[in-house]
Amino acid sequence: MSGRGPVQIDADERRVRLSNQDKVLFPRTGFTKGDLVDYYRRIAPVLLPHLAGRPVTLKRFPDGTGEAGFFSKNAPPNTPSWLRTVTLAAPHSTKGRDSVRYLMLEEPAALVWAANLAGVELHVPPWRVGPRGGMRGVDRLVFDLDPGPPAGLGECVRVALLLRDALAADGLSAYPGVSGGKGMHLYVPIREAEPARAARYARRVASALEEQHPDLAVTRMAKAERPGKVFIDWSQNSGPKTTVAPYSLRAEECPAVALALRWEEVERGDPAALVFEPAAVLRRIERDGDAAAAVLSGGPALPSG
């Protein structure tokens, strides 16, 4: 898709106005806003189910990823009338807001429109909103594995496998993915639970792993604690936290994707094989489908205690 002036495209039954499609968002590779729109339009069938019912926070890069981006929670004034929004209380707002009017990206045209805002990254909470807009319980645990150099993706793989086994012992199934950056994510479908309970359980699992493998894993956020270890961020399961959605692009030096994986890929232990650019992801999805589809089906209740 090219052209300097505004253009309009059809996305299902919507007409979406696009601008500056030649704008380069990833300077190293020449990946443009038009390429971003094209990716999100084509990945929509597998991405949208992971966004359904979840308020979306965009990370926007209108000047390209070579410049600082910003998180955009509030729906902008030019949000089209057909795009659903939901207003939720914001008790933890760092900007002193009482509420936030979130975007709900639930159809291909909404993804295209958000991409046209240079919304490179899509972040969602581990809970949905109900049909009347109220916040529901956490329905997926998220463990965000962030390596502290010189640790890297290889160490994240080791931690992911250990977490998988610990969760399986509690009757829970974990589904892995790369974050699109240096780390990994684990998604664990559960029956809806209060955010505080979900975070408490996730912390217990992470802390037990840290105790058993103190040279490999850490649960404390302080940078001084993390060199050579993998930080297990269990706090992603608390009410206000969000995590980049599966199949979202990431604003790295080169465009990469937060991609759901299969455990056999993780078990091979080859970090170089766990970095995916958009075109490869689209080919993979066409061939293999969504490796995280089972996350959408729900899961068992959290263990008591």
Side-chain angles (χ1 to χ4, degrees):
M1 187 181 301
S2 63
R4 294 185 179 276
V7 297
Q8 292 195 22
I9 66 168
D10 292 319
D12 284 357
E13 298 180 357
R14 309 284 188 196
R15 292 281 285 172
V16 183
R17 185 177 184 273
L18 306 177
S19 60
N20 299 320
Q21 296 299 283
D22 287 338
K23 172 72 177 180
V24 174
L25 296 182
F26 290 80
R28 180 172 174 180
T29 62
F31 191 90
T32 66
K33 187 158 65 159
D35 295 325
L36 182 73
V37 167
D38 182 64
Y39 170 76
Y40 277 125
R41 190 180 187 187
R42 295 172 63 190
I43 202 67
V46 293
L47 170 57
L48 286 173
H50 290 282
L51 303 181
R54 300 182 195 274
V56 176
T57 297
L58 300 178
K59 191 168 186 183
R60 295 173 58 185
F61 293 83
D63 296 319
T65 58
E67 304 294 332
F70 61 94
F71 284 100
S72 177
K73 290 181 178 289
N74 260 313
N78 63 340
T79 301
S81 59
W82 53 260
L83 199 157
R84 182 188 173 202
T85 63
V86 61
T87 300
L88 299 174
H92 304 284
S93 173
T94 59
K95 298 184 178 180
R97 296 172 177 152
D98 294 327
S99 63
V100 173
R101 181 178 170 234
Y102 286 97
L103 298 168
M104 304 292 289
L105 305 184
E106 298 177 310
E107 58 179 295
L111 282 178
V112 167
W113 177 84
N116 190 58
L117 296 179
V120 174
E121 297 185 1
L122 312 176
H123 294 250
V124 292
W127 43 266
R128 293 185 175 96
V129 295
R132 298 179 183 175
M135 176 180 166
R136 300 178 61 172
V138 170
D139 61 4
R140 57 171 65 163
L141 299 179
V142 182
F143 293 90
D144 185 5
L145 309 183
D146 185 14
L153 200 50
E155 285 75 16
C156 288
V157 164
R158 292 173 58 195
V159 172
L161 292 168
L162 291 167
L163 278 174
R164 177 192 65 178
D165 295 344
L167 292 160
D170 279 342
L172 300 176
S173 298
Y175 297 86
V178 283
S179 69
K182 299 179 177 65
M184 292 185 66
H185 293 150
L186 258 64
Y187 289 95
V188 185
I190 60 171
R191 188 181 303 167
E192 285 188 15
E194 289 295 324
R197 185 180 175 210
R200 189 164 58 246
Y201 173 77
R203 182 176 187 176
R204 176 159 60 84
V205 172
S207 297
L209 196 150
E210 177 186 32
E211 184 176 344
Q212 295 161 11
H213 302 274
D215 295 331
L216 177 62
V218 63
T219 60
R220 295 173 297 282
M221 191 174 293
K223 295 287 187 182
E225 304 267 2
R226 293 161 59 177
K229 300 181 182 182
V230 175
F231 171 49
I232 307 174
D233 189 354
W234 52 268
S235 71
Q236 299 296 108
N237 304 286
S238 63
K241 288 292 191 76
T242 62
T243 308
V244 71
Y247 304 106
S248 171
L249 272 176
R250 300 306 305 273
E252 298 294 317
E253 189 174 5
C254 298
V257 178
L259 181 66
L261 302 173
R262 293 178 171 81
W263 278 114
E264 52 265 31
E265 297 176 285
V266 178
E267 289 166 347
R268 293 186 193 116
D270 179 7
L274 300 181
V275 179
F276 299 87
E277 51 88 27
V281 169
L282 291 167
R283 291 193 299 269
R284 171 192 174 99
I285 293 303
E286 184 176 0
R287 183 184 68 241
D288 300 330
D290 180 9
V295 175
L296 305 170
S297 302
L302 288 173
S304 58

